[in-house]
């Protein structure tokens, strides 16, 4: 988390850096070589070049999150970040957010949650506890787990003004793959593949709250089960076996019921977030600058992990009756070879000399062993292989939310990014050439390490443990942004343009005129596209 002095109102607007996946410090250090830590090259550059009236946090804890490649970790981090922003709002201090990779996702999820809470008219558990830990809200003796939901509504009233995020000056995302998750569907919940599923319309106060029917559904099933049990116990002349059958049936029915309810509530929550995203982006788009290369490995790589032939996002924003394309998606993932197989029966292995013990010499005809082997490898193993492939795919996506699919990946907070590039062409080409050059140097470094290990008679793992590959961090476009001088100047320019300090920043050094023009057009384009796709603006 991040801490700031109490007299924040009279201080500079603060620039908050949010790191991405696998970029956190496992020891929780605020100082180090990572781009977002005090003392790093990027930190020192920003300290020297930030416009007057803005500064990096000089004291207290920086913002930390786990950096795990899971959507649950990003959502949890977004709650902590939103709690920090509400603390700044309460202190009246302006702030700028800069996020790299999934750090931008954390920022966006925090803004989206804030937007939804204003519709809901109440807080949520994780945010409430984060606010209590930060001292923004006073802890109450009431236990939220006991069902005291009114407390969240009352606490929301204390933060009504702060939740508008009026002191957010700018937010910049760099190489961020924004993820759009949609429900996969099931009993009592329409998934994104269903013909009737739609993201059309705006989000009302009712939509922003958990569905009420689920509680009554569980209560009804439980009540019916109890009444049947009492009836059997008091008036039935059935034996103990029937009582056991009733107990087993009741437990099974209750388990299925809870599964239906959980799936339905998750589908409702995820659909509501997806429906609210366009209006949230329209509200915050004027303060956003998105920088990304056309060959960013994280964005393009995650896109390849999206389901094949998903409905176009703009079509999904229409009511089903207005779609001009087939309403139901039937495409599936391509089949992959079966990688898991049983060992072959020994008598099928052509050895010389023969291994005959327990199997006999080769003869024609089928045996029970052959049938089991063919059945397992032909029917069971392919199914296990598909399950493992699906699990590995979800792990690579970072999609660990039950009953949810990752459907779209976009360099924009919502998948409406057609017609604009993420960097000036010259900068984009420079990043690609630099990454290719360092990739070649990385190959040379690795060869030298292998040769050194061979000559010294040591294991390669020991050599790698004692040697840091200098070219590793720059061999990909995705990890090269924050070492590129012009991109750093673009971040600085966006902060300067958004700063409300009385000190006007007029410095243009380091940023060519074509990049300045590109920034103006990109921000105007983002605001225009966001307004075009939003049903309403909060």
């Amino acid at each position: 988390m991040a801490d700031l002095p109490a007299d924040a109102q009279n201080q500079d607007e603060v620039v908050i850096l949010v790191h991405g996946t696998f970029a956190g410090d496992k020891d929780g250090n605020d100082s180090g070589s990572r781009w977002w830590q005090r003392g790093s090259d990027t930190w020192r550059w920003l300290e020297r070049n930030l416009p007057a009236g803005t500064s990096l946090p000089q004291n207290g804890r920086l913002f930390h999150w786990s950096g795990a490649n899971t959507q649950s970790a990003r959502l949890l981090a977004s709650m902590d970040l939103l709690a920090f922003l509400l603390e700044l709002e309460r202190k009246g201090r302006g702030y700028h957010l800069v996020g790299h990779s999934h750090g931008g996702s954390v920022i966006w999820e925090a803004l989206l949650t804030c937007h939804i809470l204003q519709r809901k008219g109440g807080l949520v558990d994780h945010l409430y506890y984060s606010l209590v830990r930060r001292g923004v809200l006073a802890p109450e003796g009431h236990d939220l787990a006991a069902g005291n939901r009114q407390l969240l509504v009352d606490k929301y009233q204390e933060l009504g003004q702060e939740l508008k995020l009026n002191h957010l000056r700018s937010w910049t995302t760099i190489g961020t793959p924004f993820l759009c998750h949609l429900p996969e569907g099931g009993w009592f919940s329409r998934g994104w593949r269903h013909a009737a599923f739609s993201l059309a319309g705006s989000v009302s106060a009712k939509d922003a709250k958990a569905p009420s029917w689920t509680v009554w559904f569980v209560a009804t099933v439980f009540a019916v089960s109890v009444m049947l049990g009492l009836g059997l116990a008091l008036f039935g002349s059935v034996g103990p076996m029937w009582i056991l059958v009733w107990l087993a049936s009741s437990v099974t029915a209750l388990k299925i019921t809870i599964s239906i309810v959980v799936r339905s509530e998750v589908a409702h929550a995820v659909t509501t977030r997806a429906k609210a995203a366009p209006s949230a982006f329209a509200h915050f788009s004027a303060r956003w600058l998105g920088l990304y290369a056309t060959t960013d490995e994280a964005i393009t790589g995650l896109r390849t992990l999206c389901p094949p032939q998903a409905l176009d996002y703009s079509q999904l924003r229409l009511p089903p009756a207005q779609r001009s394309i087939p309403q139901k998606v039937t495409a599936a993932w391509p089949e992959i070879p079966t990688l898991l197989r049983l060992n072959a029966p020994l008598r099928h292995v052509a050895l010389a000399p023969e291994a005959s013990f327990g199997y006999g010499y080769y003869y024609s005809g089928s045996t029970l062993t052959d049938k089991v082997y063919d059945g397992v490898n032909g029917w069971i193993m392919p199914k296990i292989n598909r399950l493992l492939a699906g699990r590995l795919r979800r792990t690579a996506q970072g999609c660990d939310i039950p009953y949810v699919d990752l459907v779209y990946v976009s360099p924009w907070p919502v998948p409406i990014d057609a017609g604009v590039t993420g960097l000036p062409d010259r900068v984009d080409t420079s990043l690609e050439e630099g990454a290719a050059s360092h990739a070649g140097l990385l190959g040379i470094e690795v060869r030298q390490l292998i040769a050194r290990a061979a000559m010294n008679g040591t294991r390669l793992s020991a050599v790698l443990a004692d040697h840091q590959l200098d070219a590793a961090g720059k061999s990909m476009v995705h990890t090269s942004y924050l070492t590129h001088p012009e991109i750093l100047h673009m971040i600085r320019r966006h902060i300067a343009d958004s700063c409300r300090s009385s000190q006007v920043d007029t410095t243009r050094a380091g940023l060519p005129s074509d990049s300045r023009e590109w920034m103006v057009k990109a921000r105007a384009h983002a605001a225009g596209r966001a307004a075009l796709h939003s049903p309403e603006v909060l």
Side-chain angles (χ1 to χ4, degrees):
M1 303 314 102
D3 297 318
L4 291 171
D7 59 341
Q9 294 187 14
N10 299 322
Q11 296 184 13
D12 290 344
E13 295 177 355
V14 64
V15 178
I16 306 300
L17 308 180
V18 185
H19 66 78
T21 301
F22 306 135
D25 190 301
K26 64 180 181 179
D27 297 320
N29 295 318
D30 290 321
S31 299
S33 60
R34 300 178 184 273
W35 73 273
W36 53 274
Q37 290 178 308
R38 293 189 179 102
S40 68
D41 292 340
T42 303
W43 183 282
R44 291 200 300 269
W45 189 96
L46 290 172
E47 276 189 320
R48 294 192 303 268
N49 293 280
L50 280 176
T54 62
S55 62
L56 294 165
Q58 299 303 313
N59 302 298
R61 293 281 290 161
L62 301 181
F63 180 77
H64 292 257
W65 68 285
S66 69
N69 184 30
T70 62
Q71 183 64 5
S72 61
R74 292 186 281 270
L75 289 171
L76 185 61
S78 71
M79 292 292 183
D80 291 336
L81 178 62
L82 180 54
F84 177 39
L85 302 187
L86 293 176
E87 180 184 13
L88 292 174
E89 290 285 338
R90 176 154 289 188
K91 293 176 178 179
R93 186 173 185 182
Y95 53 92
H96 305 260
L97 304 174
V98 179
H100 172 252
S101 188
H102 276 311
S105 302
V106 171
I107 294 173
W108 167 240
E109 296 292 356
L111 300 182
L112 178 56
T113 293
C114 187
H115 184 78
I116 292 173
L117 292 181
Q118 292 177 79
R119 289 284 183 270
K120 183 179 187 299
L123 302 181
V124 290
D125 296 11
H126 286 95
L127 179 60
Y128 168 75
Y129 288 120
S130 292
L131 289 167
V132 169
R133 286 194 299 270
R134 300 199 63 82
V136 179
L137 293 179
E140 299 287 344
H142 309 293
D143 186 4
L144 291 180
N148 185 23
R149 314 313 294 177
Q150 184 60 38
L151 175 62
L152 296 179
V153 177
D154 296 340
K155 292 299 181 181
Y156 170 83
Q157 300 301 325
E158 296 183 27
L159 295 169
Q161 189 64 31
E162 285 86 349
L163 280 164
K164 295 180 180 180
L165 300 187
N166 290 327
H167 291 88
L168 171 63
R169 303 297 186 237
S170 71
W171 57 296
T172 306
T173 60
I174 307 146
T176 295
F178 292 98
L179 311 178
C180 180
H181 294 88
L182 297 178
E184 65 183 15
W187 290 353
F188 290 85
S189 62
R190 292 174 177 174
W192 66 276
R193 292 180 180 272
H194 195 280
F197 182 84
S198 176
L199 297 176
S202 58
V203 174
S204 64
K206 182 179 179 181
D207 294 329
K209 297 178 181 179
S212 58
W213 69 267
T214 58
V215 176
W216 294 108
F217 187 56
V218 174
T220 301
V221 173
F222 180 74
V224 170
S225 176
V226 170
M227 286 188 292
L228 287 174
L230 290 175
L232 287 172
L234 297 176
F235 307 106
S237 58
V238 297
M241 183 59 67
W242 285 105
I243 298 294
L244 291 176
V245 170
W246 165 75
L247 286 173
S249 301
S250 299
V251 171
T252 302
L254 192 59
K255 184 176 180 180
I256 294 174
T257 301
I258 293 175
S259 176
I260 292 173
V261 167
V262 171
R263 181 186 291 270
S264 300
E265 290 189 342
V266 169
H268 172 81
V270 171
T271 302
T272 300
R273 291 183 74 83
K275 288 180 66 174
S279 59
F281 184 46
H283 182 69
F284 293 109
S285 60
R287 290 169 274 184
W288 176 64
L289 176 66
L291 305 176
Y292 57 92
T294 54
T295 57
D296 185 290
E297 297 86 359
I299 298 173
T300 56
L302 282 169
R303 274 178 168 169
T304 63
L305 296 174
C306 288
Q309 299 183 15
L311 283 173
D312 181 78
Y313 181 79
S314 60
Q315 290 288 331
L316 206 58
R317 293 284 304 168
L318 298 173
Q322 299 180 18
R323 296 176 190 161
S324 59
I325 60 176
Q327 296 181 356
K328 191 168 184 178
V329 179
T330 58
W333 293 98
E335 290 290 334
I336 61 175
T338 301
L339 303 177
L340 299 177
R341 301 179 65 87
L342 290 181
N343 290 335
L346 191 54
R347 72 184 190 84
H348 287 192
V349 181
L351 288 174
E354 299 88 348
S356 60
F357 181 75
Y359 289 86
Y361 292 100
Y362 179 81
Y363 61 90
S364 60
S366 176
T367 66
L368 179 61
T369 303
D370 294 339
K371 291 179 179 178
V372 172
Y373 170 77
D374 293 338
V376 171
N377 281 345
W379 184 70
I380 297 178
M381 286 303 182
K383 288 179 169 52
I384 294 176
N385 189 74
R386 284 193 290 272
L387 288 175
L388 289 176
R391 177 50 52 190
L392 289 173
R393 183 168 57 245
R394 289 179 68 88
T395 300
Q397 293 171 342
C399 182
D400 65 335
I401 304 177
Y403 316 122
V404 166
D405 287 332
L406 173 63
V407 182
Y408 304 107
V409 175
S410 171
W412 282 38
V414 286
I416 54 174
D417 53 322
V420 68
T421 57
L423 285 169
D425 292 342
R426 175 176 47 76
V427 179
D428 195 296
T429 302
S430 173
L431 274 174
E432 176 64 28
E433 292 176 347
S437 173
H438 283 92
L441 295 175
L442 179 61
I444 295 174
E445 281 191 76
V446 172
R447 287 181 59 199
Q448 290 175 342
L449 288 177
I450 294 173
R452 185 185 307 171
M455 288 186 295
N456 295 337
T458 58
R459 292 182 179 273
L460 180 60
S461 58
V463 176
L464 288 173
D466 297 332
H467 183 86
Q468 183 175 0
L469 297 173
D470 296 330
K474 301 178 182 179
S475 59
M476 294 193 303
V477 169
H478 186 69
T479 53
S480 302
Y481 294 108
L482 293 165
T483 58
H484 195 287
E486 194 160 337
I487 291 178
L488 291 173
H489 278 286
M490 294 173 77
I491 296 170
R492 179 204 181 281
R493 183 75 253 163
H494 183 55
I495 293 173
D497 291 343
S498 309
C499 181
R500 295 187 182 179
S501 169
S502 58
Q503 304 177 58
V504 180
D505 182 81
T506 59
T507 303
R508 297 179 180 270
L511 191 61
S513 59
D514 63 330
S515 292
R516 293 198 299 270
E517 294 172 1
W518 177 88
M519 288 181 62
V520 173
K521 293 179 180 178
R523 287 181 296 206
H525 183 84
R529 294 283 290 177
L532 180 65
H533 285 76
S534 174
E536 44 84 29
V537 179
L538 181 65

